[in-house]
């Protein structure tokens, strides 16, 4: 299996078949497992192998298929699935930290990720926030004894690309674990492990499901971290993925590469077509040569990704007129979906932030985040251009 190419792994890796030889992965809707004897139950609680299950909060055959497929794709020794992306982010950090530890994180983070860092602070973990694109700030902040660095490889919603290789070198020189939230890079364009990430976290809710059905998350990393650090924390605190959701994610993975490549091609075409549009003061897309981290994006993803952010003239009023005039593009706050989705971060996903923090992050009143889907790109462009005309 290790020799297989990505698309083959996405369809076949991790599959387990019951005695019936079912073609499509089975959903094992069970929370418990029956033991042949009391001795067998005892032995399994002492140590259970990858094919032996105890309780669905610890593991389940359908969930295990998803974990093995994700580890195969990401190139890590193991993976652990969670109920949501936030259960994965929270668990990845909390499972390895204690009071007095030090963490360095990039400031441009998804709102809930910032909240997790706030919680860590309440429990005595020292958190230093840096501008993730400024390597000098990482060098100054990471010190002897820093336990972890945490970053989104491409930030939400301003699409700054962080140089994972350089940050990993800085972190590893001081012995810190590098945890990368890789949602915007997607498993398709991810080279996070090759670049030096130790632990890669995904919200599977996004591109992995890809059809806006289920919440899910996954933590991919070395076996010692996944089984000895993350698993004990997660299985005792209750953030397990449901078997049904794992099955949806497995089915999503079969078409992940096809979808994400089409989404990225559509996003690129839209960004190129809209650059310089009179109603837009900024078109942010890492795939455009004018993007501040274009070279890094090409090196670490080979593409610009599936999200384009636009700054609409006329601030919030202009952005709202634009959103309300769209017909195909839906107003919602998911991303990575087959359907094209638009969000106004300042009033939704990043509403909780104080205005000065939003300004610091580049979340201006006119900024909108467009998660590009797999529709016909000509239809999308006609919809977007038509709506911009009404601004
Ligand atoms: C959506 C998202 C999350 C959280 O994932 P959920 O599945 O919604 O819990 C974390 N990080 C990033 C970058 C995201 O986009």
């Amino acid at each position: 299996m290790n020799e297989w190419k990505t698309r083959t792994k996405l369809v076949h890796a991790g599959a387990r078949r019951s005695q019936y030889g079912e073609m499509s992965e089975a959903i094992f809707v069970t929370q418990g497992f029956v033991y042949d004897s009391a001795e067998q139950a005892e032995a399994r609680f002492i140590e259970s192998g990858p094919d032996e299950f105890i309780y669905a909060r610890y593991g389940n055959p359908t969930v295990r298929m998803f974990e093995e497929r994700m580890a195969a794709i990401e190139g890590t020794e193991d993976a652990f699935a969670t109920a949501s992306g936030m259960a994965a982010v929270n668990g990845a950090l909390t499972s390895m930290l204690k009071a007095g530890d030090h963490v360095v994180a990039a400031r441009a983070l998804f709102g809930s990720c910032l909240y997790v860092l706030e919680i860590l602070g309440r429990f005595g973990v020292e958190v230093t926030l840096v501008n993730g694109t400024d390597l000098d700030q990482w060098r100054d902040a990471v010190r002897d004894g820093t336990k972890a660095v945490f970053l989104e490889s491409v930030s939400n919603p301003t699409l700054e690309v962080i140089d994972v290789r350089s940050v990993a070198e800085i972190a590893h020189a001081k012995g810190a674990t590098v945890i990368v939230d890789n949602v915007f890079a997607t498993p398709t364009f991810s080279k996070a492990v090759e670049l030096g990430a130790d632990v890669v976290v995904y919200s599977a809710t996004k591109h992995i499901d890809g059809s806006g059905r289920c919440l899910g998350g996954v933590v991919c990393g070395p076996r010692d971290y996944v089984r000895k650090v993350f698993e004990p924390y997660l299985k005792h605190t209750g953030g397990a993925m449901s078997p049904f959701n794992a099955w949806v994610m497995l089915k999503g993975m079969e078409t992940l590469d096809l979808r994400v490549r089409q989404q990225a091609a559509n996003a690129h075409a839209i960004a190129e077509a809209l650059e310089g549009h009179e109603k837009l003061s900024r078109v942010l897309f890492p795939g455009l040569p004018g993007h501040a981290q274009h070279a890094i994006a090409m090196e670490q993803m080979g593409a610009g990704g599936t999200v384009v952010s636009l700054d609409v003239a006329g601030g919030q009023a202009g952005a709202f007129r634009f959103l309300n005039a769209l017909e195909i593009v839906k107003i919602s706050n998911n991303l990575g979906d087959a359907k094209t989705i638009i969000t106004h971060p300042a009033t939704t996903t990043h509403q909780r932030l104080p205005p000065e923090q939003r300004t610091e992050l580049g979340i201006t009143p006119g900024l909108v985040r467009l998660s590009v889907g797999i529709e016909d790109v000509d239809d999308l462009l006609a919809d977007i251009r038509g709506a911009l005309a009404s601004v």
Side-chain angles (χ1 to χ4, degrees), residues 83-89 109-113 150 152-156 181-184 201-206 214-217 333-335 369:
S84 69
M86 285 323 302
V89 170
L109 292 178
F110 182 61
S112 302
C113 295
F150 176 66
E152 288 174 15
S153 50
V154 182
S155 74
N156 172 27
D181 178 336
N182 217 25
V183 166
F184 279 62
V201 178
Y202 286 102
S203 162
T205 315
K206 312 293 166 54
C214 292
L215 289 175
N333 39 267
N334 191 21
L335 63 94
R369 184 190 76 191

Side-chain angles (χ1 to χ4, degrees), residues 295-306:
I296 297 169
M298 287 302 121
E299 192 203 326
Q300 64 187 37
M301 304 196 292
T306 65

Side-chain angles (χ1 to χ4, degrees), residues 104-128:
V104 182
R107 186 174 289 123
L109 292 178
F110 182 61
S112 302
C113 295
L114 280 171
Y115 190 79
V116 167
L117 296 175
E118 274 178 48
I119 298 175
L120 289 173
R122 268 195 249 153
F123 286 85
V125 174
E126 189 192 341
V127 179
T128 307

Side-chain angles (χ1 to χ4, degrees), residues 63-100:
V63 176
R64 192 72 195 125
M65 288 191 247
F66 170 60
E67 291 168 345
E68 286 182 354
R69 193 167 294 177
M70 274 307 305
I73 291 303
E74 204 57 35
T76 54
E77 287 174 355
D78 213 337
F80 202 97
T82 57
S84 69
M86 285 323 302
V89 170
N90 176 60
L93 288 162
T94 309
S95 65
M96 65 166 294
L97 296 169
K98 60 178 188 325

Side-chain angles (χ1 to χ4, degrees), residues 13-24:
R16 289 156 178 248
R17 292 198 162 80
S18 76
Q19 71 272 31
Y20 301 114
E22 65 279 357
M23 172 59 79
S24 177

Side-chain angles (χ1 to χ4, degrees), residues 127-139:
V127 179
T128 307
L129 295 178
V130 298
N131 171 353
T133 59
D134 183 346
L135 291 176
D136 285 335
Q137 289 196 21
W138 287 104
R139 274 185 211 104

